[in-house]
Amino acid sequence: MLRWPSLCYICRRWPSQPLCTPCVERFAQPTLRCPTCALTLGNTHHNLHLPLTARCKNCAEHPSPLDACVAAVSYTFPWADCIANFKFQADPSLARTLAHLMRHAPWIEPALDAASLVVPMPLTPARLRERGFNQALELARHLAPNKTHAHTLLRRGDSAHQVGASRQERLNHVRDAFWVATERLSAVRGQHVVLVDDVMTTGASLYEAARALRAAGAAHITGVILARTEARDARQ
């Protein structure tokens, strides 16, 4: 397919792809992360001796409802700005580029290949009307078009913004917020499911969605995230 040149979203170089190779190489280097919440495990260079199964302190003390969780990048510069353009400036055209970035991050492609079903995190109807598209669905469609189902997981209609909310407020807000559509129960039962979202902050929403999938009989659930906030912000 012919691809027209464009400005890189990060360095503004032209002609370029939406994310140029030098910027991806500079800002999207793999890092050692907790395998069940995707938090960075300190300084990668100082933790190369840790096994790939090493978990963060929080997951060791409070096991995650996810069997695995992988993230492409940290929610820092420049990815926070890219995601804001994608999510809040009505630029779903970035989905293909960001999904390409995700697919080439360690462990994401194997998770997608092993899954029989890819489920995007749902928006409430009010939020979907406000934004015009579901960013998680756009990513999922580019990651695994033949496995993605948009209406497997449903969400109740409370659409209060969670930006700036504390961890406990987020937990309270999403409690019992998700369920699997009745007509999709057989498609979930006993299956390996990938749950896709753009940003994971405290994990409250993702974990509650995972519990709904588990209650519906999912055998294995992997969270696949574009960007993960880091410890100082994620545990507030």
Side-chain angles (χ1 to χ4, degrees), residues 83-94 130-133:
I83 292 169
N85 283 324
F86 169 45
K87 191 172 178 177
F88 300 117
Q89 302 302 318
D91 192 358
S93 64
L94 259 174
E130 174 188 308
R131 192 166 295 160
F133 70 102

Side-chain angles (χ1 to χ4, degrees), residues 67-142:
D67 295 290
C69 188
V70 288
V73 294
S74 294
Y75 190 64
T76 54
F77 176 85
W79 306 115
D81 291 340
C82 286
I83 292 169
N85 283 324
F86 169 45
K87 191 172 178 177
F88 300 117
Q89 302 302 318
D91 192 358
S93 64
L94 259 174
R96 180 187 299 274
T97 297
L98 294 173
H100 181 77
L101 177 75
M102 292 173 72
R103 184 170 268 283
H104 287 81
W107 311 116
I108 288 183
E109 190 159 5
L112 293 167
D113 290 344
S116 50
L117 178 64
V118 174
V119 176
M121 284 288 289
L123 295 178
T124 65
R127 185 72 69 239
L128 185 60
R129 288 193 298 270
E130 174 188 308
R131 192 166 295 160
F133 70 102
N134 179 349
Q135 69 279 359
L137 175 57
E138 295 302 316
L139 291 172
R141 281 173 169 164
H142 288 292

Side-chain angles (χ1 to χ4, degrees), residues 8-216:
C8 171
Y9 272 87
I10 298 173
C11 69
R12 313 307 294 172
R13 181 183 286 112
W14 188 94
S16 173
Q17 298 303 320
L19 293 176
C20 72
T21 299
C23 283
V24 171
E25 290 177 348
R26 180 180 178 187
F27 296 112
Q29 286 295 313
T31 185
L32 187 64
R33 295 179 180 275
C34 173
T36 50
C37 79
L39 277 177
T40 296
L41 295 176
N43 186 306
T44 302
H45 296 293
H46 294 160
N47 287 279
L48 293 178
H49 64 283
L50 288 175
L52 294 178
T53 55
R55 284 165 168 73
C56 70
K57 184 174 184 292
N58 187 64
C59 285
E61 295 175 354
H62 308 285
S64 168
L66 295 166
D67 295 290
C69 188
V70 288
V73 294
S74 294
Y75 190 64
T76 54
F77 176 85
W79 306 115
D81 291 340
C82 286
I83 292 169
N85 283 324
F86 169 45
K87 191 172 178 177
F88 300 117
Q89 302 302 318
D91 192 358
S93 64
L94 259 174
R96 180 187 299 274
T97 297
L98 294 173
H100 181 77
L101 177 75
M102 292 173 72
R103 184 170 268 283
H104 287 81
W107 311 116
I108 288 183
E109 190 159 5
L112 293 167
D113 290 344
S116 50
L117 178 64
V118 174
V119 176
M121 284 288 289
L123 295 178
T124 65
R127 185 72 69 239
L128 185 60
R129 288 193 298 270
E130 174 188 308
R131 192 166 295 160
F133 70 102
N134 179 349
Q135 69 279 359
L137 175 57
E138 295 302 316
L139 291 172
R141 281 173 169 164
H142 288 292
L143 287 169
N146 297 325
K147 296 180 179 181
T148 296
H149 192 278
H151 305 297
T152 293
L153 194 62
L154 304 176
R155 184 171 187 165
R156 62 175 165 80
D158 184 358
S159 60
H161 283 286
Q162 295 197 72
V163 176
S166 69
R167 178 178 177 81
Q168 189 57 52
E169 288 170 337
R170 287 171 180 264
L171 289 170
N172 292 339
H173 177 73
V174 299
R175 187 169 290 119
D176 299 323
F178 303 94
W179 69 96
V180 172
T182 303
E183 66 273 16
R184 296 291 297 166
L185 288 171
S186 62
V188 171
R189 192 174 299 116
Q191 301 302 309
H192 281 229
V193 179
V194 159
L195 187 57
V196 175
D197 206 0
D198 60 331
V199 178
M200 181 178 178
T201 304
T202 63
S205 295
L206 201 72
Y207 290 170
E208 195 67 16
R211 291 185 184 99
L213 289 166
R214 189 79 68 191

